[in-house]
Amino acid sequence: MKDYQLTWLAQRVTTQTTAVLVPFYNEAGDKTNFAERLAYFDGLAARHPELDIILIDDGSTDQPFAADTEKLTHLSLSIVTPNGQKIGALYTQIKALPHQYIIFTDFDTELQGLDNLPEIHDKLAADSASMGCYFSMRPTEGNTPAVQFQMLEYALERASYQFSKNEGSVPIMPGAGCLYKRPIIEALLSRHSGLRSGEDRETCLLGLELGYTVFYAPQIQALTQPPQTFHALLQQRRRWSQGFVEVALHKAAFYRNQMAEKTVLGLRHRIDMISVSIFLLMPLLLLMAFLISSTVGVALVLAWTALGFVETFWLYSKARDEFRTIPNHKLKLCLIPFARVLLEVPTWWRVIGRVCLNRLQGKGACA
């Protein structure tokens, strides 16, 4: 990893237990929202003096701290230069900290339930093999169809955590809401490839590869601001899918070993690969089916729809409590298979098409 320069603008590190790191890049364009987010994190730091909350400007070009920041009396502010693609900024900051634990969150995310951290600290201290935990990710703000879809999708993802808890694994520790032991995360980031789109997925896998475990901490919630439209959601999903491909290629050997050993993580990756293949082949297979006859085409559509319903409600049955705050969730879940097709098919055609084009042009697969 290249060298980066850390500069403190306001250093208010007062504890050695937990630091909350909030990296951001070029967020000052919307001055009102930027000021609101700064005020939120300063207020969070005031309510939790046992935490050191550090906002990290990752080499922004819009001069975010040019405005008056004297009212921010509880936050620590730092700048990392040049832009470190998030991983470089986090690693540089962590090396300068004395804390036992590091929380990662995003600039547009709010954390709730931080009073439960002592319980989590005790659990981590009692288990030397545990590298950290991931919080309950929940989209908030907005009542559009896109947001409703994401609320259900996030709840289904949280339901899937049930299958990994005994193994102590998870495919990804979300960068918007997770906690690591500081010595471990520092070591992991020193081994990181620096790839940006799937940086949190790769970080998690590096720890699992070294034999560490993780656990789910639902008592802490990370409330993230979701895309409000399906167009914005599609853009977000392309970035996420790009990250999946980056890590799948970069950690291919690790994934193969997990599948060979029949771990839950390996099974999850196999299912993900099958799902991607289905989304890629679906338009071609439907076209062929309808060319044979409309009956065959309709039968194929019904079969895929039934499969989507079975998968969705099977996950729902494993953790129904995750859905209790979503009104009319059973009815809305019936629409999930159709929404996923509309979202995933164009996403994966775009992402895999780009990977193939980069290969043909002699570039890196994820250039």
Side-chain angles (χ1 to χ4, degrees), residues 192-213:
H192 202 283
S193 68
L195 291 171
R196 174 64 179 90
S197 297
E199 90 288 337
D200 43 7
R201 183 182 293 269
E202 181 182 346
T203 303
C204 178
L205 292 186
L206 285 169
L208 298 177
E209 190 174 25
L210 293 175
Y212 292 113
T213 60

Side-chain angles (χ1 to χ4, degrees), residues 20 159 184 191 245 290 296 340 361:
V20 181
I184 294 177
R191 299 160 57 95
V245 173
F290 276 101
V296 174
R340 287 195 66 198
Q361 293 177 343

Side-chain angles (χ1 to χ4, degrees), residues 6 16 36 44 52 62 86 92 97 104 115 123 127 134 175 196 199 206 212 222-223 225 256 268 303 328 332 349:
L6 172 68
Q16 294 190 353
E36 289 174 352
L44 187 68
D52 289 319
D62 58 2
K86 190 175 182 179
T92 301
L97 297 177
F104 291 151
D115 291 335
K123 187 172 181 178
D127 186 357
Y134 45 100
R196 174 64 179 90
E199 90 288 337
L206 285 169
Y212 292 113
L223 307 181
Q225 297 179 17
R256 284 196 298 270
R268 172 68 179 268
N328 302 316
K332 294 174 181 177
W349 270 85

Side-chain angles (χ1 to χ4, degrees), residues 38-321:
L38 292 181
Y40 164 75
F41 283 110
D42 195 56
L44 187 68
R47 293 192 301 274
H48 292 279
E50 73 280 8
L51 306 176
D52 289 319
I53 300 180
I54 306 169
L55 266 61
I56 309 167
D57 172 11
D58 187 8
S60 297
T61 60
D62 58 2
Q63 299 182 325
F65 295 136
D68 181 18
T69 58
E70 293 182 358
K71 294 181 180 179
L72 306 176
T73 57
H74 300 89
L75 281 177
S76 292
L77 308 175
S78 68
I79 299 177
V80 172
T81 53
N83 174 255
Q85 295 292 303
K86 190 175 182 179
I87 288 298
L90 290 173
Y91 182 50
T92 301
Q93 182 69 73
I94 288 171
K95 289 192 296 182
L97 297 177
H99 300 78
Q100 295 175 272
Y101 305 102
I102 300 293
I103 290 176
F104 291 151
T105 192
D106 285 345
F107 194 68
D108 63 353
T109 299
E110 299 189 2
L111 298 176
Q112 294 185 353
L114 292 174
D115 291 335
N116 295 300
L117 279 174
E119 172 189 344
I120 292 174
H121 292 161
D122 291 344
K123 187 172 181 178
L124 286 168
D127 186 357
S128 61
S130 180
M131 65 179 174
C133 62
Y134 45 100
F135 306 153
S136 178
M137 296 295 303
R138 297 175 182 271
T140 184
E141 290 193 10
N143 196 37
T144 66
V147 173
Q148 292 296 306
F149 167 76
Q150 291 168 86
M151 287 182 175
L152 291 167
E153 190 180 42
Y154 273 61
L156 288 169
E157 182 62 29
R158 295 194 302 270
S160 72
Y161 294 159
Q162 299 295 320
F163 301 99
S164 301
K165 62 181 182 180
N166 292 333
E167 186 176 272
S169 70
V170 72
I172 179 172
M173 293 260 278
C178 65
L179 179 150
Y180 283 92
K181 292 177 180 175
R182 193 201 63 81
I184 294 177
I185 188 58
E186 182 177 351
L188 297 183
L189 294 186
S190 71
R191 299 160 57 95
H192 202 283
S193 68
L195 291 171
R196 174 64 179 90
S197 297
E199 90 288 337
D200 43 7
R201 183 182 293 269
E202 181 182 346
T203 303
C204 178
L205 292 186
L206 285 169
L208 298 177
E209 190 174 25
L210 293 175
Y212 292 113
T213 60
V214 298
F215 62 89
Y216 179 36
Q219 60 269 53
I220 298 182
Q221 295 83 44
L223 307 181
T224 183
Q225 297 179 17
Q228 298 294 308
T229 66
F230 273 101
H231 176 72
L233 180 58
L234 188 62
Q235 297 297 110
Q236 181 197 67
R237 196 54 52 92
R238 286 172 180 168
R239 294 193 300 272
W240 288 0
S241 299
Q242 181 82 8
F244 174 84
V245 173
E246 285 181 358
V247 178
L249 293 174
H250 182 64
K251 304 299 293 182
F254 172 69
Y255 278 126
R256 284 196 298 270
N257 289 338
Q258 292 295 302
M259 288 187 288
E261 295 173 6
K262 299 181 180 179
T263 65
V264 173
L265 185 64
L267 176 61
R268 172 68 179 268
H269 186 67
R270 192 186 300 276
I271 292 173
D272 287 342
M273 297 300 290
I274 292 172
S275 296
V276 171
S277 300
I278 289 175
F279 288 127
L280 287 171
L281 293 173
M282 181 180 291
L284 300 177
L285 293 177
L286 282 176
L287 177 61
M288 293 174 59
F290 276 101
L291 286 175
I292 294 172
S293 78
S294 59
T295 302
V296 174
V298 170
L300 187 57
V301 170
L302 292 176
W304 267 327
T305 302
L307 181 61
F309 285 153
V310 169
E311 177 190 13
T312 299
F313 283 94
W314 179 64
L315 277 176
Y316 166 71
S317 69
K318 300 300 179 182
R320 299 185 183 189
D321 286 348

